Amino acid sequence: MMAINPQITNLIIILGMMQVSKKIPFDDPQVLLGVRVLYIATNIIIAGVYLYLQTKINAKKDLTTLKYVEPAPMGSADEPKLITTTVHSYDLQQLRALWKSQLMGVGMMGVMHLYFRYTNPLLIQSIIPLKGAFEGNLVKIHLFGQPAIGDLKRPWKAAGGLMGMAGQGEPKADKKSIEQAERAGSGGVKEE
């Protein structure tokens, strides 16, 4: 069975929730309070999942060496850079990126709701980030116990933007790319 792309399901959820939110009386203080509580509760659940992931990652402390070539940023004349790290450090780095993304979303939602008085996005943002958190690679590996093979093999491909276009190329972990980066003199960058 073919899985539906998460971006497509997000679009379907957003369009559906936009229609539902038109019928919700946000003028009623009780309804507004309920939607605010829902938004806060989903963010607490996401924070709990991320904290649990951090304890699982630190408990495993997988010190397996991970080498990959990080592509140069799009439009940059820089050479691709060889990164040497551990699975533990890589997972913690990915978790920090998840925290940063979640906090940016909460900040933007705070401005939209508290400053601009938009209420409809509260409902959508109660569902999409929670869905995204449970679709993440770290959750699949550390929470659901899936093996890190196939699409879950580190380093992970960057999530594509609109229509799957990523801001830069994908990290490469094949032997040929790593040897080329080592010969080019960009090897040995160790991330802690």
Side-chain angles (χ1 to χ4, degrees):
M1 182 176 154
M2 191 175 99
I4 297 175
N5 184 334
Q7 292 174 333
I8 301 297
T9 57
N10 285 352
L11 185 62
I12 292 168
I13 289 170
I14 289 170
L15 293 175
M17 292 311 293
M18 284 172 61
Q19 296 306 313
V20 169
S21 68
K22 287 180 182 176
K23 299 186 183 341
I24 295 176
F26 287 109
D27 303 348
D28 182 357
Q30 293 293 67
V31 171
L32 185 57
L33 178 65
V35 174
R36 286 176 178 162
V37 167
L38 177 66
Y39 179 73
I40 291 168
T42 57
N43 279 289
I44 289 171
I45 291 169
I46 292 169
V49 167
Y50 289 170
L51 288 171
Y52 180 73
L53 285 179
Q54 186 171 358
T55 60
K56 291 284 281 188
I57 292 168
N58 287 331
K60 280 185 184 176
K61 199 157 182 115
D62 188 350
L63 298 178
T64 306
T65 301
L66 177 65
K67 280 186 174 184
Y68 62 96
V69 178
E70 189 175 85
M74 202 159 123
S76 170
D78 295 340
E79 290 290 319
K81 184 170 64 169
L82 176 68
I83 305 294
T84 303
T85 186
T86 63
V87 169
H88 178 256
S89 295
Y90 182 80
D91 285 358
L92 287 177
Q93 174 192 4
Q94 296 299 312
L95 184 60
R96 275 191 294 278
L98 290 174
W99 274 111
K100 184 178 175 183
S101 173
Q102 187 62 28
L103 291 175
M104 289 290 290
V106 169
M108 288 173 56
M109 193 65 240
V111 169
M112 287 175 64
H113 181 65
L114 299 174
Y115 184 74
F116 293 114
R117 303 282 181 216
Y118 291 134
T119 53
N120 293 13
L122 276 177
L123 193 59
I124 296 167
Q125 290 303 312
S126 297
I127 298 167
I128 298 292
L130 188 63
K131 176 184 169 288
F134 283 101
E135 289 175 340
N137 291 334
L138 281 174
V139 171
K140 288 177 183 175
I141 291 172
H142 294 289
L143 189 65
F144 298 141
Q146 294 181 10
I149 55 174
D151 286 344
L152 296 179
K153 189 174 191 303
R154 297 168 184 92
W156 298 312
K157 295 176 181 164
L162 188 61
M163 302 299 174
M165 297 184 328
Q168 62 182 24
E170 303 299 332
K172 295 179 182 153
D174 60 288
K175 199 171 190 175
K176 183 180 175 190
S177 298
I178 291 171
E179 287 174 357
Q180 282 178 340
E182 285 174 339
R183 279 195 300 271
S186 61
V189 177
K190 186 168 184 187
E191 289 190 348
E192 290 296 329

